[in-house]
Amino acid sequence: MTLMGDVNTFINGDYTTVEKAYLHIEDRGMLFGDGIYEFARCYVDGIPFQMEEHLQRLKNSAKAIDLELPYTGPEIKDIVGELLEKCGAKQAGIYIQATRGLNMPRTHHFPRVVKPSFFIIVRELEPEPPEFMVDGVKAILLPDQRWTRCDIKSLNLLPNILAKEKAVREGAYEAIFYRDFGVTEGSSSSVFAVFDGRIYTTPAGEWILPGVTSHTVVQLASRAGYSVHFEFIPREKLYKADELFITSSRLDIVPVSTLYDTPIGSGKPGPLTRALKEAFQAFARGQA
Amino acid sequence: MTLMGDVNTFINGDYTTVEKAYLHIEDRGMLFGDGIYEFARCYVDGIPFQMEEHLQRLKNSAKAIDLELPYTGPEIKDIVGELLEKCGAKQAGIYIQATRGLNMPRTHHFPRVVKPSFFIIVRELEPEPPEFMVDGVKAILLPDQRWTRCDIKSLNLLPNILAKEKAVREGAYEAIFYRDFGVTEGSSSSVFAVFDGRIYTTPAGEWILPGVTSHTVVQLASRAGYSVHFEFIPREKLYKADELFITSSRLDIVPVSTLYDTPIGSGKPGPLTRALKEAFQAFARGQA
């Protein structure tokens, strides 16, 4: 357990407890959402999973908004290692955020001297609810109102959190976004559908985040002999999928068993979803 | 002058100096840009201009993201009055921000108990650069990459600030956004064009912020006998305008004299723009 008062946070050079971690109100993260983030987790006690991939995406996001990260990849890995040791979290979640720093007084354009703010929080994760793999979860469908650069993992998450809140209020776990041309992704997940034993997911590009977990799922599925197709699925077609699941770095694979109140396939986690979940967990735990 | 150390900030119930104003890193403003803001200013020493209109828009923005403001309009006006008195700013700028508060540990959905964070900063404004009304400013044109709810004055401003920075790097003052169907607005302003003595601006709706200043400009122009048309101007047509100007609460009317390096009209502030600027300033100073 991460306890209140544990040193579990790194902020701008200092190790501290998250309760004591503050930033100025004129930090550009606070004023403009002018920053980026990553979330990674451990499957093996104290060992971050796919940290390289997360750091690469962090670098890509930083580059896309023209932000120079104040720490290198190896430095960030060292800080994370230090935090894991200090707070003792085993099945830890690792949250990393960088912003364009203080801008006092506020200006839209970048300040003359940019000194990014950077923090990492490490915490023990709640275990995955066991019913997820028994019953699956409910999802809803909402129009994708986001900007055109969803490939950047930025702090501009208002459409995402409003959609997630709407889902929760409807008793659902996730909101799946669609545009005119089809399904894009979930408010905090990637989306996969199965039709006739083939797996479909959204093509990479500016409409979706390049999911670290979804990429691994594609690789594991291909390795297991399934064909994976990168296509925008029309939203009406989603109801007719044999299986539907979402992926994220937090909970890898979560089966979606109902869209609103319509059961997907059998209305229970399907065989392909269960097989992939097993393969993913074995891979993440280093057993495959 | 607002001096370093002046009490010019109100934050979550306390009056302080802006240098001492901090919020937790897990404030939803910092994590998600989950908040809204307003900016108003004084034209007459110590008297906020069109505060009612700004407070109404703040309420509208709050409602749109399902956030309950922790203070009423009259309370906010009292706080602003108190700050103006404490710091002695005359031609003051007033920045107001509300977020969905602390969310520790971070979740996408709203926390069970929402306690919004709320702050106001008051500062003396730099005077308008006198060359603006002599030479006008340069603008550039960029594709509008923002989300579909630009009518909400939210903290999700990454596309805006990236565009503004691009403008500044090209020696311009503003970036004007366009979509397939025409010009929407500037990165921090509304856009007006004059063709054959008629004034054109973007129709209200979800593609643009309902500008407090642009609304007043429309009223003053109508009162002066000009016809105002609410239409999306095709972006190529913008280069052929007789006059072009942008409006904002910060600097009311600013003439745009070149788009990239193409002069607009005479390449100087036009007669209609100058007349409206004069009318606006007289109105704002209570002389009309």
Side-chain angles (χ1 to χ4, degrees), chain A residues 236-285:
Chain A
E236 317 79 45
K237 213 180 149 189
L238 214 57
Y239 289 94
K240 303 197 173 84
D242 301 323
E243 301 183 34
L244 188 59
F245 62 89
I246 54 176
T247 67
S248 69
S249 297
R250 170 72 183 85
L251 286 182
D252 49 79
I253 295 171
V254 173
V256 177
S257 50
T258 61
L259 260 185
Y260 290 101
D261 295 322
T262 305
I264 301 300
S266 67
K268 292 281 174 191
L272 207 154
T273 306
R274 281 186 279 115
L276 283 173
K277 177 85 178 181
E278 205 168 301
F280 192 97
Q281 296 248 331
F283 175 71
R285 301 212 154 88

Side-chain angles (χ1 to χ4, degrees), chain A residues 23 60 98 118 143 175 190 196 215 255:
Chain A
L23 283 170
N60 295 347
F118 182 86
S190 308
D196 298 325
H215 182 68

Side-chain angles (χ1 to χ4, degrees), chain A residues 9 11 18-19 21-34 37 65-66 95 97 99-100 104-106 108-110 119 121 123 145-149 154-159 161-162 164-165 168-169 188, chain B residues 9 11 18-19 21-34 37 65-66 95 97 99-100 104-106 108-110 119 121 123 145-149 154-159 161-162 164-165 168-169 188:
Chain A
T9 301
I11 178 164
V18 70
E19 292 80 12
Y22 284 73
L23 283 170
H24 194 268
I25 55 172
E26 289 191 307
D27 188 284
R28 289 177 66 95
M30 182 58 87
L31 296 174
F32 303 115
D34 187 7
Y37 74 105
I65 70 162
D66 202 6
Y95 180 85
Q97 179 171 321
T99 78
R100 211 178 310 272
M104 186 164 62
R106 174 183 186 271
H108 277 67
H109 59 80
F110 301 174
F119 65 85
I121 308 170
R123 280 195 183 96
Q145 299 189 312
R146 299 175 301 162
W147 70 326
T148 61
R149 290 301 307 277
S154 90
L155 304 177
N156 273 214
L157 291 169
L158 194 48
I161 62 103
L162 291 178
K164 183 70 96 181
E165 177 67 14
V168 167
R169 289 186 190 181
S188 66
Chain B
T9 300
I11 179 165
V18 70
E19 292 80 11
Y22 284 73
L23 282 170
H24 195 267
I25 55 172
E26 288 191 307
D27 188 283
R28 289 178 66 95
M30 182 59 88
L31 297 174
F32 303 115
D34 186 6
Y37 74 106
I65 69 161
D66 202 5
Y95 180 85
Q97 179 171 321
T99 77
R100 213 179 308 274
M104 187 163 61
R106 175 182 185 271
H108 277 67
H109 60 78
F110 302 174
F119 65 84
I121 307 170
R123 280 196 182 96
Q145 299 188 311
R146 299 175 302 162
W147 70 327
T148 61
R149 290 301 308 276
S154 90
L155 304 177
N156 274 213
L157 291 169
L158 194 48
I161 62 103
L162 292 177
K164 182 71 96 180
E165 177 67 13
V168 167
R169 290 186 189 181
S188 66

Side-chain angles (χ1 to χ4, degrees), chain A residues 56-213:
Chain A
Q56 187 54 54
R57 189 169 63 181
L58 187 72
K59 278 182 211 166
N60 295 347
S61 296
K63 194 172 173 207
I65 70 162
D66 202 6
L67 175 67
E68 207 172 317
L69 290 174
Y71 298 98
T72 64
E75 285 169 338
I76 295 172
K77 279 203 272 190
D78 283 351
I79 296 166
V80 169
E82 194 79 23
L83 284 172
L84 285 165
E85 199 168 308
K86 280 180 197 290
C87 78
K90 306 284 185 226
Q91 299 284 308
I94 300 150
Y95 180 85
I96 306 173
Q97 179 171 321
T99 78
R100 211 178 310 272
L102 188 64
N103 193 174
M104 186 164 62
R106 174 183 186 271
T107 58
H108 277 67
H109 59 80
F110 301 174
R112 207 168 44 80
V113 179
V114 172
K115 192 164 169 279
S117 297
F118 182 86
F119 65 85
I120 301 177
I121 308 170
V122 163
R123 280 195 183 96
E124 198 74 37
L125 288 174
E126 296 289 318
E128 177 174 328
E131 64 271 24
F132 279 14
M133 284 312 295
V134 177
D135 300 323
V137 300
K138 174 179 174 175
I140 62 171
L141 276 168
L142 292 177
D144 194 339
Q145 299 189 312
R146 299 175 301 162
W147 70 326
T148 61
R149 290 301 307 277
C150 299
D151 55 318
I152 304 172
K153 202 165 172 71
S154 90
L155 304 177
N156 273 214
L157 291 169
L158 194 48
N160 304 63
I161 62 103
L162 291 178
K164 183 70 96 181
E165 177 67 14
K166 210 170 225 174
V168 167
R169 289 186 190 181
E170 298 212 31
Y173 177 74
E174 179 60 302
I176 294 174
F177 290 134
Y178 61 87
R179 297 198 187 248
D180 289 350
F181 43 82
V183 168
T184 52
E185 61 188 336
S187 77
S188 66
S189 63
S190 308
V191 175
F192 288 78
V194 179
F195 294 92
D196 298 325
R198 295 143 166 256
I199 299 172
Y200 291 79
T201 192
T202 313
E206 300 191 347
W207 300 115
I208 60 165
L209 193 77
V212 169
T213 302

